[in-house]
Amino acid sequence: MLSQKILDELKKIVGPDNVATDRQDLICYGYDATQMEFLPDAVVHPGSTDEVAAVLKLANAAKFPVFPRGAGSGFTGGALPKGGGVVLVVTRLNRILRIDTENLIAEVEPGVVTEQFQQEVEKLGLFYPPDPASLKFSTLGGNVAENAGGPRCVKYGVTRDFVMGLEVVLPTGEIIRTGGETYKGVVGYDLTRLLCGSEGTLGVITKIIFKLLPLPEAKKTMLTIFDSIDGAAKAVSTIIGNKIIPTTLEFMDYATLQCVNKRFSLGIPDNGRAVLLIEVDGDRDLIEKQATRIQELIKPLGLVECKIAKDAAESEALWKVRRLVSPSLRDVNPDKFNEDIVVPRSKVPDVIRVIEKIQQRYDIPIVNFGHAGDGNIHVNVMIDKSVPGQEEKAHKAIAEIFQAALDLNGTMSGEHGVGLAKQPYIHLELKPAQVAAMQAIKQALDPNNILNPGKMFPVGQQCAPE
Amino acid sequence: MENKNKNSEALKRIESELKKCVKCGACRAHCPAFATFGKEPAVARGKVALAQHLLKGDIELDDATYSAMSKCLLCGSCVEKCPNNVPTDEIVMVAREALSNQRGLTTFHSAVGRVIANRSLMKFGAAAARILGPLFFRKVPETSGLRLRFPLPFVGGKRHIPPLAKKPFLERHPEVIPGEPGKPRIVYFVGCMTNFCYPQVGEAALALFRHLGCTVIIPKNQQCCGLPGMSGGDLDTVRELAEANLAALEKYEADYIMTACATCGGALHKFYPNLIGKRHPALAARLKAVADKTVDAAQLLHKLGLKPEETGAGNEVRITYHDPCHLRTRAITSQPRELLRGAPGIELAEMEGADKCCGLGGTFNVYHYESSLAINKMKSAAIIKTGAQAVATGCPGCMMQLSDGLKQHGSSVQVVHTLQVLARRLLKS
């Protein structure tokens, strides 16, 4: 519980209108997309880096926890105030400070919404490729803190690959800058890369310098339907093996297609067992050639149908198939666990087969879709929490799914992070020495453990032996 | 105690809808109220969370809940874009109903309820406003103390209010205007804004449907649709109005019940069955029958195949179109555009964010005038940017808000109803 004195101090720092303690406000900053809820003691909306620094200095002196938060759209509870404390909302820091068309960089504040940033740079003929599914509402600060991915990652990489530098308030309240505006730079440790994906446990991001690319001239979208999951997976490796890197290679399995088809009748043929949504971008002539070549390459792999968009409207119609997946899932069961395992892309059919066996063993529906191009599969374990025993079954199934991904040289999270949701499983992937190294960094930067405490590392749980 | 039971009943009724929200945050991208207030209690996800906690009984119907629930324009953009189709607009209305049960209606909403429930009072009010309005609110300088003595939120400040009609639309025509045999019979639900402020919209509707040979029936005893009451949680008044309107609309055999007001259409088509029908099962089937027959004027003209065969006017005019929320949420977006494009001499120029709310939001703009203005400002800028001479829309409420915004921008862009454009361009004068 925060004392009145601390609340008064917070009000002095950010202004009384930017500190909220009504129960209604606490409720509204106690959830995210995980279905978990923890109420903070106060919600603070700073308007500058200095205010963020002052809040953290106060937190260190008075020893209360601070939980940085962007749009609160995370899937692992990374911004949830477990145990109470102050939720530090960065959405007032929402300015695009500059877009430098000469050096192809931009400097932004963390509360800028991802899509707005993309639109602004595209107006200048530039391109910021990271495109998490939440891009219309998630913030760039959250994207960096969670190292967000997205469909275009197969060609362009994840958020981290576009972060050149950061301004960060350390847990102790010092303001530092990492990286910079140059593509090269080897002085000291690479703190930029350490902070990307650190889930708000090592510092509060207050400014970001992004690398930009020239906006590709055109793109071409193809919806390809295969008679087997192996055909679709083989198509991915065949295309890339033939030195074409599409912008996206989105995949949907049979269970997903059944879900979507049931509600929206998309005209997927009866013998369609898997779908691959392929997009290529670049020079207009080049993408025509690439699209033709892709069709030749995938034809012998059990291709049932190939729809190619002629214009932006048709492209949007094809993407709609992919976008309808999420709303359709709820027809299967009301509650879902959305996990985001990654395996080397050639292992996608293997991991799908293992998941099918897990599904049969536990008798709960599992729907798979995601980014086949980089082996990142969204595994949706669909349950009804009101049915006794289903949640326990789901947790057991999830542990086995993670293990299957790890056995195939994969990882248990490609883009959602650990947060609270994946803590119980972290020992499957990280060995004690790795965890110790990570915790030593945390201890060095946050000696009083005030910034986003209780996240990422399970409290009092043994990690896997070396 | 009685109110408490009433509240928990109302909230229980939406329990399954509340469970659908998974707090993904998608609504943050589409909510105009969130765009101006910037804080989570203003967005759909926050309001759903608060309604969930109200249902659990662990928050009170106090000022903070009231404040959060008041920050909604009922524009439905969150509902449209929600992956799980959570009907936040209806949830907010139920929460407002609970708030009004608990705390009583606000003075303003109570006045609104009294006026909309009573046509003769409304007529009297309109007459009084027609005479007194200019005296009190137009010719009085903003700095005058007289304005300060009448701090009515909806007429204060710089607001431009349309002049009231000398003769309301409903008093101008007989109840039944026969058309050609075999052509559709249309019952026209006029709505208060058209009746008292924009009778020219009603005249355009009448002219167009008569041109198509339709029989147009304008029941004299039709009342306000009740949406202003609904937005304040005064569902008892809305039920009374719904019953009165049912009687008026059911009196004639009709192929269609037609509205040229997006808001009235939304009430008849969506909110009556979903809010009143669920509370009053005895009315449910009748409300559903009315809802099924309710069409928007542009939708119907499009369906009946209005063609640019005759022309009444010549000059080339560039027009832009604003989507009223209560047409957009019923997927009536292409028909008005196609009709406008088909009209001779009309160039349709799309504005940025044509589908975004104008900021009126029923009584939202009474309680949150500054935010309403901020939303309206973006809309005015988008309209002006198109270089259009006029902006057309399908909702008299939007017309008022758009006029207000444009006038405050010093713009000369005209605000018209789609039907006015069509009547002028397609009919011989």
Side-chain angles (χ1 to χ4, degrees):
Chain A
M1 241 0 212
L2 297 174
S3 67
Q4 190 56 47
K5 190 165 166 269
I6 290 170
L7 290 173
D8 290 343
E9 287 290 324
L10 287 169
K11 283 178 191 168
K12 248 187 249 168
I13 296 168
V14 296
D17 289 346
N18 292 311
V19 178
T21 51
D22 280 332
R23 194 170 169 78
Q24 284 81 347
D25 287 284
L26 306 183
I27 287 169
C28 289
Y29 288 95
Y31 52 66
D32 67 359
T34 57
Q35 312 301 300
M36 288 187 264
E37 186 185 69
F38 303 97
L39 294 199
D41 299 311
V43 183
V44 172
H45 298 263
S48 69
T49 305
D50 288 341
E51 289 181 7
V52 173
V55 171
L56 289 180
K57 278 193 180 130
L58 178 65
N60 259 285
K63 309 252 185 325
F64 60 83
V66 175
F67 300 89
R69 181 183 174 99
S73 54
F75 274 112
T76 51
L80 294 184
K82 190 179 179 186
V86 165
V87 166
L88 182 96
V89 189
V90 299
T91 49
R92 283 181 67 215
L93 300 168
N94 61 356
R95 292 174 302 163
I96 296 172
L97 299 168
R98 64 196 164 104
I99 300 171
D100 179 344
T101 53
E102 202 173 333
N103 293 301
L104 302 195
I105 58 173
E107 186 171 9
V108 304
E109 291 184 327
V112 174
V113 171
T114 311
E115 191 186 53
Q116 284 169 2
F117 177 58
Q118 287 182 339
Q119 287 170 347
E120 288 308 310
V121 301
E122 284 175 23
K123 280 181 197 165
L124 301 170
L126 297 171
F127 187 35
Y128 173 72
D131 57 343
S134 57
L135 67 92
K136 284 181 188 297
F137 45 97
S138 63
T139 58
L140 289 166
N143 288 181
V144 175
E146 297 289 322
N147 191 17
R152 293 201 284 235
C153 167
V154 54
K155 179 167 179 181
Y156 292 105
V158 292
T159 304
R160 177 190 284 140
D161 299 309
F162 290 84
V163 179
M164 296 176 70
L166 296 169
E167 179 189 78
V168 176
V169 180
L170 293 178
T172 43
E174 285 104 317
I175 301 165
I176 63 162
R177 277 193 170 258
T178 74
E181 300 187 13
T182 57
Y183 281 29
K184 294 176 177 175
V186 288
V187 179
Y189 294 142
D190 190 346
L191 294 180
T192 311
R193 285 181 84 82
L194 173 66
L195 284 153
C196 288
S198 66
E199 302 189 14
T201 60
L202 300 180
V204 179
I205 296 159
T206 46
K207 284 189 184 73
I208 310 158
I209 296 171
F210 282 119
K211 174 173 88 175
L212 301 173
L213 298 176
L215 184 65
E217 186 185 16
K219 60 184 173 186
K220 203 158 192 66
T221 315
M222 313 159 77
L223 188 79
T224 58
I225 304 163
F226 294 85
D227 63 7
S228 74
I229 179 79
D230 289 84
K234 188 86 182 119
V236 172
S237 48
T238 304
I239 294 165
I240 294 174
N242 278 274
K243 300 176 189 63
I244 299 173
I245 309 273
T247 326
T248 57
L249 282 161
E250 290 290 284
F251 136 93
M252 285 160 267
D253 74 353
Y254 186 52
T256 312
L257 292 179
Q258 279 182 312
C259 277
V260 180
N261 235 354
K262 209 190 289 172
R263 210 202 276 193
F264 299 99
S265 59
L266 295 163
I268 304 286
D270 290 343
N271 56 340
R273 287 291 179 275
V275 156
L276 209 52
L277 182 73
I278 306 171
E279 196 163 272
V280 287
D281 70 359
D283 181 90
R284 218 173 280 280
D285 296 337
L286 177 75
I287 61 169
E288 287 301 330
K289 273 191 210 160
Q290 285 185 334
T292 311
R293 180 76 182 124
I294 287 171
Q295 284 179 78
E296 287 166 10
L297 288 169
I298 62 176
K299 210 170 248 174
L301 303 174
L303 184 70
V304 177
E305 203 178 322
C306 175
K307 301 178 183 181
I308 302 181
K310 284 193 275 300
D311 51 34
E314 283 189 20
S315 164
E316 183 51 35
L318 296 183
W319 268 101
K320 198 176 167 201
V321 178
R322 171 70 176 80
R323 294 202 177 107
L324 289 174
V325 171
S326 178
S328 310
L329 290 182
R330 229 145 273 280
D331 294 348
V332 180
N333 256 332
D335 304 298
K336 72 168 175 179
F337 289 92
N338 172 358
E339 307 300 346
D340 62 322
I341 58 163
V342 194
V343 292
R345 53 183 163 238
S346 65
K347 304 285 190 197
V348 169
D350 300 330
V351 82
I352 298 286
R353 266 192 289 275
V354 179
I355 292 169
E356 269 171 17
K357 284 191 191 132
I358 295 170
Q359 161 172 350
Q360 283 158 12
R361 201 160 51 245
Y362 287 99
D363 191 28
I364 38 178
I366 302 180
V367 183
N368 304 293
F369 62 91
H371 321 303
D374 44 50
N376 184 190
I377 307 296
H378 289 281
V379 181
N380 292 269
V381 181
M382 306 304 300
I383 61 160
D384 185 345
K385 281 186 181 171
S386 65
V387 176
Q390 281 222 342
E391 201 167 345
E392 291 72 26
K393 269 209 264 185
H395 285 300
K396 283 185 189 157
I398 288 165
E400 289 190 25
I401 291 163
F402 288 158
Q403 193 56 56
L406 294 167
D407 291 346
L408 292 163
N409 295 331
T411 169
M412 56 184 225
S413 179
E415 39 189 31
H416 295 173
V418 178
L420 293 168
K422 291 195 182 181
Q423 276 183 5
Y425 311 102
I426 196 174
H427 64 280
L428 297 174
E429 184 161 343
L430 298 183
K431 300 290 181 282
Q434 283 169 284
V435 174
M438 292 179 190
Q439 286 181 318
I441 295 169
K442 169 73 173 166
Q443 171 67 27
L445 294 178
D446 187 6
N448 294 316
N449 195 27
I450 56 107
L451 192 64
N452 214 1
K455 300 291 163 65
M456 212 185 268
F457 307 108
V459 180
Q461 195 179 335
Q462 287 295 308
C463 280
E466 290 282 6
Chain B
M1 197 56 182
E2 194 196 328
N3 280 344
K4 205 154 196 174
N5 288 341
K6 216 167 155 185
N7 282 342
S8 53
E9 259 173 45
L11 290 162
K12 269 263 176 239
R13 217 175 274 124
I14 52 166
E15 191 173 10
S16 60
E17 309 285 9
L18 290 173
K19 276 190 185 155
K20 286 186 191 168
C21 175
V22 295
K23 313 289 186 308
C24 68
C27 45
R28 287 172 66 103
H30 310 287
C31 174
F34 177 66
T36 60
F37 293 104
K39 291 183 180 168
E40 193 79 18
V43 80
R45 175 173 69 162
K47 294 184 189 109
V48 172
L50 294 178
Q52 287 167 338
H53 281 262
L54 275 177
L55 185 65
K56 277 196 260 173
D58 65 357
I59 54 170
E60 298 295 318
L61 289 160
D62 56 12
D63 287 349
T65 308
Y66 176 79
S67 164
M69 293 300 172
S70 75
K71 289 169 184 157
C72 174
L73 294 121
L74 302 174
C75 71
S77 51
C78 55
V79 188
E80 273 177 296
K81 301 287 165 59
C82 173
N84 291 333
N85 306 113
V86 178
T88 307
D89 50 357
E90 289 172 36
I91 290 167
V92 167
M93 286 194 214
V94 169
R96 288 183 184 174
E97 180 192 12
L99 281 156
S100 70
N101 285 340
Q102 186 83 2
R103 297 152 59 95
L105 288 170
T106 62
T107 317
F108 174 69
H109 270 119
S110 150
V112 166
R114 277 203 303 278
V115 173
I116 62 174
N118 188 328
R119 241 312 126 89
S120 51
L121 185 60
M122 203 188 275
K123 265 157 73 177
F124 169 76
R130 188 165 58 241
I131 299 158
L132 300 175
L135 179 68
F136 276 84
F137 306 118
R138 292 227 182 74
K139 293 179 181 167
V140 178
E142 276 174 47
T143 46
S144 161
L146 197 53
R147 272 183 186 268
L148 301 175
R149 281 170 196 244
F150 294 90
L152 294 175
F154 49 103
V155 288
K158 300 174 286 184
R159 168 152 293 192
H160 291 261
I161 305 279
L164 290 155
K166 288 201 171 72
K167 191 173 185 185
F169 180 75
L170 279 167
E171 291 173 22
R172 297 179 180 199
H173 300 281
E175 186 149 308
V176 179
I177 302 156
E180 296 160 27
K183 292 288 170 77
R185 282 167 62 85
I186 297 165
V187 166
Y188 180 16
F189 186 82
V190 176
C192 307
M193 284 291 289
T194 299
N195 189 38
F196 293 115
C197 300
Y198 295 111
Q200 60 272 35
V201 173
E203 299 297 348
L206 193 53
L208 286 163
F209 286 101
R210 290 191 71 185
H211 168 75
L212 290 173
C214 301
T215 295
V216 182
I217 301 155
I218 314 170
K220 294 280 181 201
N221 54 345
Q222 56 180 287
Q223 305 290 317
C224 169
C225 70
L227 207 82
M230 230 178 284
S231 80
D234 183 5
L235 291 187
D236 288 338
T237 301
V238 181
R239 198 253 315 142
E240 280 172 34
L241 289 165
E243 273 195 84
N245 283 325
L246 275 177
L249 298 170
E250 287 166 341
K251 195 172 143 198
Y252 294 92
E253 276 292 312
D255 299 304
Y256 303 100
I257 294 167
M258 185 276 289
T259 64
C261 170
T263 306
C264 298
L268 265 57
H269 186 258
K270 180 178 165 186
F271 295 121
Y272 273 10
N274 292 356
L275 283 166
I276 307 303
K278 282 184 190 160
R279 276 162 184 69
H280 305 282
L283 298 175
R286 292 168 66 199
L287 290 169
K288 170 86 171 44
V290 164
D292 288 347
K293 267 191 186 176
T294 298
V295 288
D296 175 70
Q299 187 187 15
L300 184 56
L301 289 171
H302 190 265
K303 188 179 173 185
L304 298 179
L306 182 73
K307 290 273 186 309
E309 58 206 55
E310 300 174 51
T311 182
N315 292 347
E316 288 288 315
V317 177
R318 174 184 273 228
I319 281 193
T320 188
Y321 178 77
H322 160 74
D323 289 286
C325 296
H326 293 123
L327 289 188
R328 192 196 69 239
T329 49
R330 291 158 63 204
I332 305 169
T333 53
S334 61
Q335 301 93 325
R337 287 180 168 81
E338 281 175 32
L339 289 169
L340 287 169
R341 274 195 208 103
I346 296 293
E347 182 205 346
L348 186 66
E350 282 292 335
M351 71 172 94
E352 205 176 308
D355 59 346
K356 295 254 176 1
C357 179
C358 63
L360 183 76
T363 48
F364 174 88
N365 80 340
V366 174
Y367 290 106
H368 301 291
Y369 187 52
E370 289 307 314
S371 300
S372 166
L373 273 186
I375 298 168
N376 196 6
K377 198 173 169 185
M378 288 186 274
K379 182 57 77 175
S380 297
I383 293 168
I384 293 164
K385 202 173 154 195
T386 62
Q389 286 108 308
V391 52
T393 189
C395 178
C398 297
M399 286 169 71
M400 182 176 85
Q401 176 82 347
L402 296 175
S403 300
D404 186 21
L406 287 165
K407 286 202 175 107
Q408 293 197 31
H409 265 73
S411 162
S412 59
V413 175
Q414 296 294 305
V415 180
V416 286
H417 193 287
T418 309
L419 300 186
Q420 289 175 270
V421 179
L422 298 176
R424 260 181 237 154
R425 293 276 152 174
L426 295 180
L427 307 179
K428 281 180 180 163
S429 49

